[in-house]
Amino acid sequence: MDRIQAMTAFLAVVDADGFSAAARKLGVSPSVVTRAVTELEERLGTRLLTRTTRFVRLTDTGRVYAENCRRILADLEEADSTAAGAHAAPRGEFTITATVNFGAMHVAPVVREYLSLYPQVSVHCWFIDRNVNLVDEGVDVAVRIGELPDSSLQAIRVGRVRQVLCASPAYLARQGVPRRPEDLSQHTIVTATGLTPTPELRFANDLKVRVQPRMTTTTNESAAAMAIAGFCITRLPLYQIAPAVRRGELQLVLEQFERPALPIHVVHREGRNASSKIRTFIDMTVAALRKDASLQ
């Protein structure tokens, strides 16, 4: 097996988390994949993977080598596309990730538009509420909310997320509009546990107000529904309730006491050598998110 095929097999093992799954993905026998990785390790004189009967994990050397393999294979794919005259017509597949709610509301529409423009591309969407390791898990692009740790990844800031308190006009007419955070103790509160895991609501200047929620819920959607129904005040990301605010179903309160907004970044790992399909998707995503008023 040549070196490019061996690199492809190695990355398949990394991405599939095992030799058998990698073999199924590549359409070859497990012994072929095992031999390819073994040959790589013998050529390099070092171990790339730690194998047990229960798992396969990258060594520190393997992690660096996997990142380099991805870059090399991406460069080869781009070279082939350019030589074939397909540089302006992206093709292939890639994987993106975002949180569940943000992905459904803001990333999926971009993917839909992208796929309609480029029929030779397939996209895998990982909408999950955890930070995916782009290098270790073979993900090409991420939309991240929050401050970013220092890393070698490329990041483009596209907006911000405000965490806002809201209630229906009917609720506020009946119960009164809170003027200070301390007034919330006199109101019916519903909290989404992902945003408010403790009974404290935090505000600017390290102000904390302890509340007794009448209801806690694991989903933002159910908290929003309770507020729209006129039952409570709740705290949610502005992007999620922006349509209800525009329709007049919800009204923001205590805006002057909000904590600083969280930044939104489009993150990728290919840098200046990103393939045509990745560059095109990133450009489209950045433009769409920067244009959305609820994210600015």
Side-chain angles (χ1 to χ4, degrees), residues 3-4 6-11 14 40 44 48 62-76 269:
R3 191 173 302 184
I4 298 304
M7 287 180 177
T8 302
F10 168 62
L11 288 181
V14 173
L40 270 181
L44 297 170
L48 300 173
R63 185 171 292 105
V64 175
Y65 189 71
E67 186 172 355
N68 288 332
C69 285
R70 292 189 197 282
R71 176 179 50 78
I72 290 167
L73 294 178
D75 287 347
L76 285 173
R269 54 184 171 82

Side-chain angles (χ1 to χ4, degrees), residues 34-54:
T34 301
R35 185 169 66 251
V37 174
T38 300
E39 289 175 357
L40 270 181
E41 291 178 327
E42 290 176 351
R43 180 184 294 118
L44 297 170
T46 188
R47 187 169 291 279
L48 300 173
L49 297 168
T50 299
R51 309 162 176 82
T52 73
T53 57
R54 296 170 56 191

